[in-house]
C-alpha cells in the first residue's frame, strides 16, 4: 500500500475568506481539495508509464473542524485501490492528531497527449 503525507502551514491563500467567506480565516474546503489532489497525483507519478498522467474524477469529503491561518496541518493519503482508477483514503489532521477532514479521492490514469488534444479542440 502506498502512502504519503505533507505538512502545510495554512496560508491566507488557503483561507475560506479567499474563497468567498470574508473574514473567515480558516482552511477552506477548496484549498483542502487542491492539496489532496496534488498529494495523490504525486504519489502516483512514479507508477505511471511515459505519456500517462492522472486526473481527479471523484471526491467524497467530510470537513469536520477548522484550522486557522498560521496553523500547521498534516495531510495524509493512502492508496486503497489500483488500476486505471486508483482510489485514496485521505485525512487532514492537526499536529496533535485530531481529524479535521477525511474522505476518499479517486483519480483516473489517462494518456496525456490524447487528453490535452481533447481539451484544446
Amino acid at each position: 500500500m502506498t502512502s504519503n503525507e505533507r505538512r502545510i502551514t495554512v496560508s491566507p491563500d488557503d483561507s475560506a475568506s479567499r474563497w468567498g467567506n470574508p473574514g473567515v480565516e480558516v482552511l477552506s474546503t477548496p484549498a483542502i481539495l487542491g492539496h489532496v489532489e496534488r498529494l495523490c497525483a504525486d504519489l502516483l507519478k512514479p507508477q505511471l508509464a511515459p505519456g500517462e498522467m492522472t486526473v481527479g474524477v471523484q471526491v467524497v469529503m467530510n470537513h469536520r473542524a477548522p484550522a486557522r491561518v498560521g496553523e500547521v496541518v498534516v495531510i495524509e493519503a493512502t492508496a486503497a485501490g489500483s488500476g486505471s482508477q486508483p482510489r485514496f483514503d485521505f485525512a487532514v489532521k492537526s499536529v496533535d492528531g485530531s481529524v479535521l477532514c477525511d474522505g476518499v479521492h479517486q483519480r483516473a490514469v489517462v494518456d496525456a497527449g490524447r487528453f490535452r488534444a481533447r481539451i484544446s479542440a
Side-chain angles (χ1 to χ4, degrees):
M1 199 173 282
T2 305
S3 63
N4 202 356
E5 70 177 38
R6 185 169 291 158
R7 288 180 179 267
I8 64 158
T9 301
V10 179
S11 74
D13 284 343
D14 293 325
S15 75
S17 185
R18 173 149 159 60
W19 289 94
N21 283 323
V24 182
E25 300 302 320
V26 298
L27 182 60
S28 69
T29 301
I32 291 170
L33 293 174
H35 288 296
V36 166
E37 282 223 5
R38 283 188 293 278
L39 179 58
C40 294
D42 288 348
L43 268 169
L44 288 173
K45 269 184 195 171
Q47 301 170 31
L48 298 176
E52 288 183 330
M53 63 183 275
T54 65
V55 295
V57 295
Q58 184 180 38
V59 176
V60 177
M61 186 174 103
N62 305 298
H63 199 155
R64 301 183 183 281
R68 292 176 182 81
V69 168
E71 190 174 336
V72 175
V73 298
V74 180
I75 302 169
E76 302 172 343
T78 303
S82 60
S84 64
Q85 292 206 341
R87 189 180 73 109
F88 295 88
D89 294 325
F90 69 87
V92 178
K93 297 179 179 180
S94 65
V95 290
D96 71 6
S98 302
V99 175
L100 307 175
C101 170
D102 58 8
V104 176
H105 175 48
Q106 191 169 5
R107 299 190 69 75
V109 178
V110 299
D111 179 278
R114 280 194 293 239
F115 183 81
R116 288 186 179 106
R118 190 172 128 211
I119 63 173
S120 65

